[in-house]
Amino acid sequence: MVLHFEQKSLQPNPVYEGTVNGKVVISGMGATSRGDAFVTDGHVRVSMDNQWTNQLINGHTVRQVTNLYTDQGIIGCMYPEMVVTGQVLFINTGYVFFGVYFCGEFYTVYEVSVVKNQLHYCVYKGNELIAIIQKNKQNEFCCHSYIIYAMVEQYAMMLCAISYLLENVYEQEHDIDKDIPNEEFVPEMRMEIASKFDRSFIERCL
C-alpha cells in the first residue's frame, strides 16, 4: 500500500486527506481552535487529544502522552521515549523514539534522516518493520505531505494518526524545511538509528 496523506489547508483546524491510487480513503482535521483532531475512514473515527497528559506506562511515569480514542473510549496512545546511550556532564545523551499503543498492540517509531529534504519514520511491531512514513518538504502553501508505505492496508488509520501527531504535536529532531546546501547535509550517522531504515521495504510496497 502507498498512501498519500496531505495537509490541504492551514490553521486553524487544517484539513487532511489520505488517498490510495487517487481515491480518498482517509480524511481528517487538525485542532487548534476547537475540539480534538481526528482521522476517519468513513466508518470509524479516531480522535486525538489536544493536550498531553502524564501516565503510568509499563511501570513508570511517561510524559507528553497523547490519547487516541473512538466513541467507544480510549483505544491507544502515543508518547516520546529516550534511549540513553551515554552521559556528558551528568546530562543523559541518546536518541528519542515514539511508543504507540493501538488496539492492544505496541509499536515503536524511529525518526531517520538519510535523504535531503525528507524524513523517514520507521514503524516497528517488535522487530518487524511494518511501515515507513516519508515526510516531504512543505510546499509553497506551507502545507506538508506524507507518503505512507505499508505492506497491508489495516494500518492505514493508525499511520495517518501518527503522521498527524508527528506534524502537529511532537517536536521533530530534524528541520527539513530549512534550506541546507547539498554539501552541508549530513545523513544519520548513529548506526542504531540508521539501521532502522530499509530502503528495500519501500520498493516492496510499490
Side-chain angles (χ1 to χ4, degrees):
M1 177 190 73
V2 180
L3 190 156
H4 294 262
F5 187 64
E6 300 177 322
Q7 180 183 353
K8 293 296 186 178
S9 64
L10 298 176
Q11 308 285 6
N13 306 112
V15 172
Y16 290 83
E17 191 174 83
T19 59
V20 175
N21 295 325
K23 179 182 178 182
V24 177
V25 296
I26 301 287
S27 59
M29 181 175 289
T32 53
S33 66
R34 64 178 186 275
D36 290 334
F38 71 89
V39 292
T40 178
D41 61 1
H43 302 285
V44 178
R45 170 172 164 151
V46 175
S47 298
M48 294 155 277
D49 279 347
N50 234 348
Q51 295 181 336
W52 291 330
T53 61
N54 297 337
Q55 296 183 25
L56 189 66
I57 297 177
N58 295 331
H60 69 286
T61 300
V62 176
R63 304 183 184 279
Q64 300 182 1
V65 180
T66 299
N67 286 321
L68 307 172
Y69 58 94
T70 67
D71 56 3
Q72 302 298 312
I74 294 176
I75 61 168
C77 65
M78 180 171 173
Y79 58 90
E81 279 272 39
M82 183 175 184
V83 175
V84 178
T85 59
Q87 196 175 64
V88 178
L89 298 177
F90 306 105
I91 298 177
N92 291 334
T93 60
Y95 61 90
V96 172
F97 71 91
F98 294 93
V100 178
Y101 281 99
F102 193 82
C103 294
E105 301 286 352
F106 179 71
Y107 306 85
T108 49
V109 183
Y110 302 90
E111 179 183 316
V112 186
S113 174
V114 291
V115 180
K116 186 175 182 290
N117 295 332
Q118 290 180 356
L119 285 179
H120 291 92
Y121 292 94
C122 303
V123 184
Y124 279 79
K125 182 179 180 182
N127 294 320
E128 180 188 5
L129 178 63
I130 60 110
I132 292 178
I133 303 172
Q134 176 181 305
K135 178 182 178 179
N136 299 314
K137 189 174 182 178
Q138 67 184 16
N139 62 23
E140 65 271 26
F141 304 109
C142 298
C143 291
H144 278 114
S145 64
Y146 291 78
I147 303 176
I148 297 172
Y149 300 95
M151 298 300 291
V152 294
E153 294 185 6
Q154 73 184 64
Y155 297 119
M157 287 276 282
M158 178 187 74
L159 295 170
C160 287
I162 291 173
S163 300
Y164 171 82
L165 293 174
L166 290 170
E167 176 66 35
N168 295 279
V169 176
Y170 295 110
E171 183 178 353
Q172 298 169 333
E173 183 177 354
H174 302 89
D175 182 4
I176 63 172
D177 294 320
K178 182 179 179 181
D179 290 326
I180 301 175
N182 288 329
E183 62 271 15
E184 294 183 14
F185 172 72
V186 179
E188 180 61 65
M189 301 297 290
R190 295 167 296 183
M191 287 305 300
E192 63 267 39
I193 295 296
S195 63
K196 301 297 183 183
F197 178 71
D198 180 2
R199 194 180 303 275
S200 68
F201 180 87
I202 292 177
E203 297 171 355
R204 296 196 300 271
C205 292
L206 298 177

